[in-house]
Amino acid sequence: FCDIINTICPSDPQAFLSYGDVTKILIANRLCSPRPLYKVEEWAEKSGVEAVFGIPSNYLNDDKCGRTLEVFADNAQTLKAAISLDIARQFNIGLEHTHWDLTTVHFEGEYENQDPDAIQIVYTKDNPKDHNVNKSIKVGLDVANDGKGPIPIFYEALDGNASGFVETIQNMENLKKHMKLDHIVRINDRGCFSAQILAETKNSGFDLISSVTFTLLEVVHVATLLWTRCDSALQKRLIGDMQQPSKFRRFELLSLTSGNKKQHTPERK
């Protein structure tokens, strides 16, 4: 871990501590007893950091810790990718299938004088019809699965008003550039799907699994294609669903396209 950091972010050869050394202390602090940067030195002195890591506490002042974080910010994408790839190799985590989604993180307090170069906390609504306005940022997360559960492999910290469609395309570019992934199967929900995203996915050499929201025209088109393969009961249900296209998501597609006319409960979301 430290070797990766020191390779990407080399320190001054005359410096007593490398950026990797400072990083492992900051991680230990966050895991054991989180403190603001100006109190890390005090925490290190009381916690026996020198005995465990061989690093005197007076070398962990807020200037050194702050400088380390600044260097990280300048190399964030490269660092995230290198550490993730190393973890994937060590623990045999396949990256052939990745799930991608955006989530919103809400904040409280006043954020009127934000650094224009930092991620922007923006006043947003979770739903256009919602009367509540939240202060938020967005986080995009790529998740792999090792057979035992989901494992985050890459993330994007974004402004609160970031477009899900734009950031989905940008994330594909980041995976290719920084994670060096030439082909994967991306999996996402319909909130991160559009015709342009589908086209960009194929142009990137990736494949895509996504749910799709049907428009009325698409409903009629799909229904026409499937009509001849429906029995009378399914035809009746299909007609009913066509009258409410906003509820029509997936109508027996698996059983109908496979030739199985056995009636199942349709999946709706």
Side-chain angles (χ1 to χ4, degrees):
F1 176 78
C2 290
D3 290 342
I4 293 174
I5 294 174
N6 292 334
T7 299
I8 297 172
C9 306
S11 305
D12 186 324
Q14 297 181 349
F16 180 79
L17 293 182
S18 68
Y19 292 125
D21 292 329
V22 178
T23 301
K24 65 184 178 184
I25 302 303
L26 291 176
I27 291 174
N29 173 254
R30 299 307 299 175
L31 291 174
C32 299
S33 182
R35 293 287 190 276
L37 290 186
Y38 73 91
K39 289 190 174 182
V40 170
E41 181 179 354
E42 177 184 335
W43 165 81
E45 182 178 1
K46 295 179 179 179
S47 302
V49 165
E50 183 172 5
V52 176
F53 296 99
I55 298 175
S57 59
N58 60 298
Y59 284 93
L60 298 168
N61 55 65
D62 56 340
D63 287 339
K64 183 64 175 181
C65 294
R67 176 56 184 155
T68 299
L69 296 182
E70 289 175 353
V71 171
F72 277 12
D74 293 338
N75 298 274
Q77 300 287 54
T78 304
L79 282 168
K80 287 187 297 185
I83 292 170
S84 293
L85 288 172
D86 183 64
I87 292 173
R89 283 191 292 266
Q90 290 195 47
F91 294 93
N92 195 29
I93 301 170
L95 303 179
E96 298 83 8
H97 300 83
T98 64
H99 297 248
W100 159 260
D101 199 7
L102 287 165
T103 190
T104 301
V105 181
H106 294 163
F107 291 84
E108 301 293 339
E110 299 296 331
Y111 300 94
E112 303 302 330
N113 299 311
Q114 300 184 57
D115 183 344
D117 296 327
I119 301 300
Q120 297 297 295
I121 299 174
V122 178
Y123 291 86
T124 62
K125 292 183 178 181
D126 290 337
N127 187 309
K129 298 180 180 179
D130 193 349
H131 295 294
N132 296 322
V133 177
N134 302 300
K135 303 165 190 175
S136 60
I137 64 169
K138 289 182 179 178
V139 177
L141 189 63
D142 293 289
V143 177
N145 195 308
D146 66 348
K148 299 179 181 179
I151 300 174
I153 60 165
F154 202 77
Y155 74 91
E156 313 275 3
L158 308 166
D159 293 344
N161 58 355
S163 165
F165 299 108
V166 172
E167 297 303 336
T168 295
I169 294 173
Q170 182 61 53
N171 177 252
M172 284 189 283
E173 296 178 5
N174 288 339
L175 291 180
K176 287 187 71 71
K177 178 180 179 180
H178 300 291
M179 296 287 288
K180 312 300 182 185
L181 299 177
D182 295 324
H183 178 266
I184 58 172
V185 177
R186 286 175 58 87
I187 304 166
N188 55 253
D189 62 19
R190 62 178 179 268
C192 296
F193 177 85
S194 70
Q196 182 181 358
I197 288 175
L198 178 59
E200 292 293 339
T201 301
K202 299 305 293 182
N203 289 338
S204 298
F206 296 168
D207 289 323
L208 176 66
I209 297 175
S210 178
S211 58
V212 180
T213 301
F214 286 161
T215 64
L216 178 58
L217 180 61
E218 291 167 330
V219 169
V220 173
H221 177 64
V222 173
T224 301
L225 292 175
L226 299 179
W227 182 263
T228 57
R229 306 188 69 175
C230 292
D231 58 26
S232 59
L234 289 178
Q235 287 176 348
K236 182 177 180 181
R237 183 177 295 172
L238 183 56
I239 292 173
D241 276 353
M242 285 179 62
Q243 295 172 356
Q244 302 183 68
S246 63
K247 296 183 179 180
F248 187 97
R249 291 294 177 265
R250 184 166 53 195
F251 183 88
E252 301 289 350
L253 294 184
L254 181 59
S255 60
L256 289 172
T257 53
S258 66
N260 179 6
K261 296 185 179 182
K262 182 179 179 181
Q263 183 171 334
H264 302 284
T265 302
E267 180 179 339
R268 295 180 181 176
K269 294 183 180 179

